[in-house]
């Protein structure tokens, strides 16, 4: 079974709660899929982040669809893309090109499958680029990436390098503890529906933040 076949087999194509314009392959049983991926795909396989519409990604996606001028006609990079939701919404909002990067091969497959399901084009790449740079991206997007101190440190370094080269950097975050808020300005705030099994609640207060240029950062 290919990774794309796995995504289609074990995740249901359905509208995203907060972004009904977009359909994603989403897990109906969060715990069951988690156990399954730890089985067949056990070797260094990350948890199935690709199978859920996380709050930060939903908020960032909603912002892009409501403010398409943010990405319209621009080259976009979506980091730690997971399901590809943010990348798909950037493409839907009129981005000139969208590159979605994740370390998980199932995420890469899910992004490709989800883009196809919505009739959109996204270039999905399996890679860890956080020690590098954003290339020619004019807009850099990241949803739900500040979930640990180690990830936050690497992500912050990458995003600061991106903004230094002129890219606009936007992140979606449901008030995770590791977001360095002093470096960001809030641009939008939402109440986002989430699976109780993942967040122990049904709604998460989630914000979209923009990284300030280095000279303005505290």
């Amino acid at each position: 079974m290919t990774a794309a076949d796995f995504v289609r087999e074990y995740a249901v194509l359905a509208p995203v709660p907060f972004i009904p314009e977009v359909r994603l392959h989403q897990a109906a049983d969060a715990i069951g899929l988690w156990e399954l991926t730890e089985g067949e795909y056990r070797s260094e396989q990350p948890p199935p982040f690709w199978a859920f519409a996380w709050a930060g990604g939903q908020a960032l996606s909603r912002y892009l669809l409501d403010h398409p001028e943010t990405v319209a006609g621009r080259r976009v990079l979506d980091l730690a893309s997971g399901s590809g939701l943010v990348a798909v919404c950037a493409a839907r909002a009129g981005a000139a090109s969208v590159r979605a990067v994740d370390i998980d091969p199932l995420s890469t497959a899910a992004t490709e499958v989800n883009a196809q399901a919505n009739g959109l084009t996204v270039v999905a790449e399996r890679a860890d680029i956080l020690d590098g740079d954003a290339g020619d991206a004019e807009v850099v997007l990241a949803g739900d990436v500040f979930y640990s101190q180690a990830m936050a440190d690497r992500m912050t370094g990458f995003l600061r390098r991106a903004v230094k080269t002129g890219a606009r950097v936007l992140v979606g975050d449901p008030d995770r503890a590791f977001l360095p808020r002093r470096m960001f300005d809030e641009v939008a705030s939402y109440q986002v529906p989430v699976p109780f099994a993942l967040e122990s609640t049904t709604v998460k207060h989630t914000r979209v933040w923009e990284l300030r240029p280095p000279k303005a950062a505290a």
Side-chain angles (χ1 to χ4, degrees):
M1 179 183 291
T2 68
D5 290 338
F6 185 90
V7 170
R8 294 188 180 98
E9 178 73 19
Y10 293 105
V12 178
L13 184 63
V16 179
F18 202 53
I19 307 96
E21 305 98 315
V22 170
R23 297 186 303 160
L24 285 188
H25 288 81
Q26 303 167 72
D29 178 4
I31 304 304
L33 181 61
W34 209 295
E35 293 174 348
L36 180 63
T37 55
E38 288 179 347
E40 182 175 353
Y41 287 89
R42 182 179 300 278
S43 59
E44 298 185 3
Q45 177 65 29
F49 296 125
W50 58 269
F52 312 104
W54 297 87
Q58 289 196 65
L60 188 50
S61 296
R62 184 72 271 157
Y63 183 81
L64 296 179
L65 293 184
D66 291 345
H67 303 276
E69 69 279 2
T70 305
V71 294
R74 293 180 170 86
R75 297 181 297 275
V76 173
L77 171 64
D78 177 29
L79 292 167
S81 56
S83 66
L85 173 60
V86 173
V88 167
C89 288
R92 185 182 175 94
S97 64
V98 183
R99 176 188 176 204
V101 179
D102 201 291
I103 62 170
D104 184 353
L106 284 173
S107 171
T108 302
T111 296
E112 292 174 343
V113 167
N114 288 329
Q116 291 167 7
N118 289 278
L120 297 164
T121 299
V122 171
V123 176
E125 177 183 347
R126 181 191 178 192
D128 181 346
I129 64 171
L130 293 185
D131 293 329
D133 58 48
D136 66 353
E138 297 171 281
V139 181
V140 176
L141 307 171
D144 290 284
V145 296
F146 295 98
Y147 51 81
S148 72
Q149 189 63 66
M151 181 63 167
D153 289 345
R154 295 191 69 208
M155 185 62 67
T156 300
F158 182 95
L159 296 178
R160 293 185 73 185
R161 289 193 295 277
V163 82
K164 282 180 181 178
T165 61
R168 185 180 184 190
V169 173
L170 296 171
V171 305
D173 186 84
D175 292 333
R176 306 282 188 203
F178 302 106
L179 173 71
R181 290 170 180 77
R182 70 187 186 282
M183 299 180 182
F184 290 84
D185 293 317
E186 181 179 334
V187 297
S189 178
Y190 305 98
Q191 295 295 115
V192 179
V194 293
F196 185 86
L198 296 179
E199 301 282 9
S200 299
T201 185
T202 57
V203 177
K204 291 285 287 186
H205 179 232
T206 308
R207 289 179 265 201
V208 175
W209 301 86
E210 180 168 3
L211 181 61
R212 297 189 207 104
K215 290 181 180 180

